[in-house]
Amino acid sequence: MALNIPKNKTPIAEQKPEERSHNFKEVVLGYTLEEAITEANRCLQCPTHPCVSGCPVNIDIPGFILALRNNDLSESIKILKSYNNLPAVCGRVCPQESQCEGKCTVGLMKEHEPVAIGKLERFVADWAASHEGVEEPPKKVEVNKGKVAVIGAGPSGLTVAADLAKKGYKVTIFEALHAPGGVLMYGIPEFRLPKTIVEREVKAIEELGVDVETDVVVGKTITIEEIREEYDAIYIGTGAGTPRFMNIPGTNLNGVYSASEFLTRINLMHAYEFPKYDTPIRIGKRVVVVGAGNVAMDASRSALRLGAEKSMIVYRRSEKEMPARIEEYHHALEEGIEFHWLTNPVEYIGDENGNVKAVKCIKMQLGEPDASGRRRPVPIEGSEFVIEADMVIEAIGQTANKVLLSTFPELKLNKRGYIEADPETGATSVEGVYAGGDIVTGAATVILAMGAGKKSAKAIDEYITSKKKA
Amino acid sequence: MFEILKKKKIVEKEYDMWIKAPRVASHAKPGQFVVVRTSDKGERIPLTIADYDRENGNIRLIFQTVGKTTYEMAKLEVGDKLADVVGPLGTPSEVKKHGTVLMIGGGVGIAALFPIIRELKNLGNKVITILGGRTSELVIMKDECAKYSDELIITTDDGSEGIKGVVTDAMKMLNERGEKIDYAWAIGPTIMMKFAALTAKDLGIPIWVSLNPIMVDGTGMCGACRVTVNGNIRFACVDGPEFDGHGVAWDELMTRLKQYKDQEKISLEKYLNEVGEM
Ligand code: FES
């Protein structure tokens, strides 16, 4: 097949690394309409469309791209929104390389990059939001099918709420923090996902008739029993919830953060705008981030933007095992983040005032594969060395938050302490109670959480409908 | 939004407020706290719940002005609203029939101690309360505490009321008197709790203390509030705020409380400049 399409993705405008590493504005600036159409033309519209099966919510990718190519943005956004309530978010934060783009036929051809599906999704969503009339207002539906409570206004909760509202349910989301959005608000930084975009997508969901009640910690502010009395079904999407620490000596020194705290201060609380905003953050000169997932990239790049002279990542495995999204890794490299592979901290060393001043590390080597299928890192005896650092951010993952779970003993948990839920429906051990997202799977991605929400919305609808018939 | 229903200045820098927060009021138990944010740009700070009126849906907060947020709260009047009040957070106090309980309070910690005193008394404990302060008028809520205490002892640094000395002097006095204490609580400035806990240890009395580290979410999400108790890292917002006083790493807590000292100063000075003197 002699195909006459450009081998590479249509280049996209980005802030220059030297410039962006000093501000919190979005790194990727997005396509123009022309560029987007050019990129849309790289899509073969192949009959097998493997991209769709790579998408956790099975978006009709060729469909929205074709509409875009025909300059029919209304149709394009309509297709997107029928599968995905948060396209502007997913276009920005999905790991496309291991999902849709990873399966793209064009990308499988020699020397060809896949179609920039994520960038096109983002383009269509942004275009529709900034051009009045492109997107049809939501259809008015009669709200008469029942009442559903959603716990947690993160990606999975918002998805369930939106889907059920469209079907005619009265949905209330209870959110513990003062703003909806979950990890999109407190976790993912402004330079990757501007908060105005999250607010815009949440507003669109509220316009479907969904009520969002902030400042409600379920299990504390109201009990699960009270909710069960009032609602026909419950969806729990509270997120993974509680940071893990290395638990090595010096963990409680000043200047040692969990990535959750560091990023929450910056993103949700706007500490990077202190003192205009009240919440403070320490400014590290030499910052060590432990871990190499997306959260670690976000933390190290945020530290740089706050004013760090040097921002380093230490990771106990090698570059190959790094779990971060490839685009974030590239951006981090471009911005000058220093990577120390096969390195693990063993102690944080403090000064006489209780501030961290150095990280004692040990060199690692890869041994036999472990349960995750990746080769297990083992310390090399006697290889300890010291990195000077006045700030440490641990980004080594999370465990289940117990605040709600401890008040709901009937709910069956799995070995790891997360909620046991049917992967196809989200049904839990308690009738009428569904769960999905990180509180079921442990820390995963935004789109997987949304996928779980989609399935649960369907199952909740079926459950309530059949119960009301009976 | 959470409306301020009543406001009173108790003494210099200390305020007493009732706030409309029906869901918090209906679930609050002694020992719990709320996280408060004054405005959209505000910080989230923890404040202990001093009292609650379930019927009318109100909670009472007693606080001291120490930083920007509390100064800003002090400036608010009846009818004004707080942007956010979240709670009740934390694990409630272990109130049950212990026998004789010793309740030690200082500063605005007395406000946090009060609902625990009342509950312990209602459960049939013999309640001995020690309230301490620099000078007589800084010892707040004396009448309210007295109402639910079998004995109320006041200590003041300057001797203007009660025993001239500190709360630990009163603890030792009770011990010398032969009073058998089954459990104690101490809530107040960190330094007071530290010494009360040390003295309790010497006297062989188990003691609860209510820790007040810096918090962000208050729901176990961030670990800002971590403290070391009996050698383990615990999150004060969910595992506490009350912990075994004998096991707390006090010096670490005090160091962590100073973590943002410089920024707190900048923030407060900027605010005081904007609003003029209080
Ligand atoms: S304040 Fe965030 S975990 Fe306790």
Side-chain angles (χ1 to χ4, degrees), chain A residues 242-243, chain B residues 214-226 235-238:
Chain A
T242 245
Chain B
I214 295 169
M215 293 188 185
V216 182
D217 58 298
T219 62
M221 256 182 59
C222 77
C225 61
R226 60 197 193 274
F235 288 6
C237 70
V238 286

Side-chain angles (χ1 to χ4, degrees), chain A residues 161-229:
Chain A
D163 278 12
L164 288 173
K166 287 184 198 160
K167 288 190 163 94
Y169 288 89
K170 183 73 210 129
V171 185
T172 304
I173 309 184
F174 296 109
E175 166 57 46
L177 291 170
H178 56 258
V183 71
L184 310 175
M185 273 320 258
Y186 69 75
I188 304 175
E190 180 77 18
F191 58 83
R192 208 144 75 73
L193 178 64
K195 298 308 144 218
T196 49
I197 287 176
V198 182
E199 282 157 6
R200 185 180 87 200
E201 307 243 76
V202 170
K203 200 165 143 252
I205 290 173
E206 286 177 310
E207 277 163 8
L208 298 170
V210 172
D211 281 331
V212 182
E213 293 198 30
T214 53
D215 292 336
V216 178
V217 183
V218 175
K220 295 281 184 192
T221 314
I222 46 173
T223 64
I224 203 87
E225 292 80 29
E226 287 167 308
I227 297 183
R228 286 176 78 186
E229 267 164 37

Side-chain angles (χ1 to χ4, degrees), chain A residues 385-397:
Chain A
F385 67 102
V386 167
I387 304 177
E388 257 177 68
D390 58 353
M391 184 185 281
V392 174
I393 304 163
E394 291 193 356
I396 56 162

Side-chain angles (χ1 to χ4, degrees), chain A residues 174 176-178 186 213 215-217 220-223 226 241-243 245 247 251-258 260-261 264-265 269 274-282 353-354 401 403, chain B residues 2 23 27 32 37 40-44 68 72 83-91 214 216-217 219-224 226-228 233 235 238 252 255-256 259-260 263 266-267 270:
Chain A
F174 296 109
L177 291 170
H178 56 258
Y186 69 75
E213 293 198 30
D215 292 336
V216 178
V217 183
K220 295 281 184 192
T221 314
I222 46 173
T223 64
E226 287 167 308
T242 245
F245 284 93
N247 252 314
T251 301
N252 283 2
L253 286 168
N254 285 350
V256 179
Y257 285 93
S258 74
S260 309
E261 181 190 351
T264 300
R265 281 182 181 273
M269 306 309 298
F274 179 87
K276 194 171 126 205
Y277 284 74
D278 294 344
T279 303
I281 187 119
R282 289 166 82 102
N353 297 318
N401 190 316
V403 170
Chain B
F2 300 82
R23 280 184 175 146
H27 297 92
Q32 292 189 293
R37 207 170 63 120
D40 265 358
K41 295 193 167 56
E43 189 175 8
R44 296 171 63 102
K68 150 103 201 262
E72 204 174 19
D84 304 279
V85 175
V86 199
L89 300 172
T91 306
I214 295 169
V216 182
D217 58 298
T219 62
M221 256 182 59
C222 77
R226 60 197 193 274
V227 291
T228 303
I233 294 182
F235 288 6
V238 286
E252 176 190 283
T255 306
R256 286 184 65 77
Q259 175 129 238
Y260 298 101
Q263 288 100 321
I266 294 172
S267 195
K270 178 172 167 277

Side-chain angles (χ1 to χ4, degrees), chain A residues 284-289 303 308 310-313 389-393:
Chain A
K285 280 205 175 62
R286 292 175 55 89
V287 179
V288 166
V289 177
K310 197 169 199 144
S311 184
M312 298 162 266
I313 280 188
D390 58 353
M391 184 185 281
V392 174
I393 304 163

